[in-house]
Amino acid sequence: MTTTSDLPEEKHVTTGATVWLTGLPSAGKTTIAYELAGRLREEGHLVEVLDGDEIREFISAGLGFSREDRHTNVQRIGFLAELLARNGVKALVPVIAPYADSREAVRKRHQESGTAYIEVHVATPVEVCSVRDVKGLYAKQAAGELTGLTGVDDPYEEPESPDLRIESQDQTVQESAAAVHALLTERGLA
């Protein structure tokens, strides 16, 4: 007969935080977020990845890509991330979030509630992103089938002072995730 004292003890870390990964399309944001999520889960953290594409499909359906709609989308994601983080979850948010004022509003929401917030700029150059072209967006833009591509014919305002800047073209996904994990550890969040 197995008793609960015979079972391995599960460790649950309940310090929440939002890790916002911003950068151009195909910069590596989502790949890094999922790599980091796996590592954090292995350590006993509660983790959710708020993927920008999934949010657009399920929470922000109907929004376009105007500046106002992009701001609304980022604020919805920021609200959800802060809610999760405030309740002990590591919310990993790989979202382009092209405008500095939108990202600042999310940071401010976290500060006002006393919730940890880390901004990571995945600073992959557009030339590298266009070669990766995970979703074929750069090819469509080059063929004239798409307009408003962030970083090409629509603005991307790079963070001036992110908590961490990653140049994913110069390191592996594991090294990028390890850099974010190291920052979380340094701040007492991992």
Side-chain angles (χ1 to χ4, degrees):
M1 181 166 143
T2 303
T3 65
T4 54
S5 61
D6 296 331
L7 298 174
E9 186 177 322
E10 281 192 32
K11 176 184 168 196
H12 288 285
V13 181
T14 58
T15 303
T18 293
V19 178
W20 196 284
L21 297 103
T22 180
L24 296 173
S26 297
K29 302 175 300 295
T30 302
T31 305
I32 294 167
Y34 278 107
E35 179 70 24
L36 178 60
R39 182 170 178 177
L40 290 169
R41 284 187 183 112
E42 287 175 5
E43 295 173 352
H45 297 269
L46 299 173
V47 181
E48 289 295 334
V49 177
L50 301 180
D51 182 279
D53 293 332
E54 291 175 357
I55 296 291
R56 274 210 173 262
E57 181 179 351
F58 296 107
I59 294 178
S60 292
L63 288 179
F65 292 91
S66 68
R67 184 179 179 103
E68 181 179 297
D69 282 356
R70 288 177 192 248
H71 179 77
T72 299
N73 185 50
V74 167
Q75 296 317 297
R76 287 177 182 175
I77 298 168
F79 171 81
L80 184 55
E82 193 278 327
L83 179 67
L84 288 168
R86 180 171 18 115
N87 285 283
V89 177
K90 298 288 187 299
L92 309 182
V93 187
V95 175
I96 295 168
Y99 301 111
D101 59 343
S102 296
R103 294 189 306 266
E104 186 54 35
V106 171
R107 180 186 294 276
K108 186 176 180 187
R109 170 185 296 280
H110 282 72
Q111 287 172 338
E112 288 171 355
S113 69
T115 306
Y117 177 86
I118 293 175
E119 182 179 73
V120 177
H121 179 205
V122 183
T124 311
V126 69
E127 300 79 24
V128 174
C129 295
S130 65
V131 170
R132 289 179 180 172
D133 204 10
V134 178
K135 299 172 196 159
L137 299 175
Y138 292 93
K140 287 180 182 176
Q141 193 276 336
E145 300 169 15
L146 175 74
T147 59
L149 181 58
T150 303
V152 178
D153 60 351
D154 209 54
Y156 176 74
E157 299 170 358
E158 290 192 8
E160 290 182 18
S161 55
D163 297 287
L164 178 65
R165 191 176 313 276
I166 291 175
E167 297 190 11
S168 71
Q169 74 279 8
D170 295 333
Q171 58 192 38
T172 66
V173 172
Q174 293 77 17
E175 289 169 334
S176 296
V180 181
H181 190 276
L183 180 59
L184 287 168
T185 300
E186 178 185 305
R187 301 225 176 142
L189 299 168

